[in-house]
Amino acid sequence: MTTVDKTNISPSVPWKAVSFSCGGWLQFYLFGVARAMQVRGLDKNIKVAGCSAGSLAAAGLVLGVSIHAYIQNVCVVGILKCNEQAKVCCVLRSF
C-alpha cells in the first residue's frame, strides 16, 4: 500500500467539478489522474462526471474505491489474460 504524505494534502479544492473524457487506451492516464487526486485529498466534495473510460475513473472517485488497487488487480491482470488469449487465436493449427 502506498503511504500518503500528509503535508501535501490540500485543505481546500480549487474547483467544484471534474470531468473525465473518453480515452480508450488513455484510460490509464485518467486512472493516474484519479489516483493522484485521491492521494492528495482532492477528490472530496466535488462533482465528478465522465464518459467511456473516463466514467470508470469518475465512478472510482465517487465510490471511494482504491484506484491503485483497481489498476493493479483489474487492468493489469485483464491485459495479461487478453494477451494470452490473443496469442492462442493467432495459432491456426490449433483449430
Side-chain angles (χ1 to χ4, degrees):
M1 191 84 184
T2 306
T3 58
V4 177
D5 181 6
K6 301 287 185 186
T7 60
N8 290 331
I9 294 178
S10 174
S12 63
V13 179
W15 51 77
K16 295 179 182 178
V18 173
S19 175
F20 292 93
S21 64
C22 55
W25 283 106
L26 289 176
Q27 66 182 324
F28 296 104
Y29 174 82
L30 300 172
F31 295 156
V33 171
R35 170 75 176 132
M37 290 175 67
Q38 284 181 333
V39 168
R40 299 289 183 231
L42 301 174
D43 59 331
K44 309 296 182 223
N45 300 318
I46 60 171
K47 293 180 182 179
V48 184
C51 70
S52 191
S55 65
L56 298 174
L61 289 178
V62 170
L63 297 173
V65 300
S66 169
I67 301 293
H68 178 73
Y70 175 78
I71 292 169
Q72 293 302 312
N73 297 322
V74 177
C75 295
V76 173
V77 172
I79 287 172
L80 293 175
K81 285 184 179 180
C82 287
N83 188 24
E84 290 171 8
Q85 291 175 357
K87 287 179 185 176
V88 173
C89 291
C90 294
V91 180
L92 295 176
R93 291 183 182 170
S94 64
F95 291 101

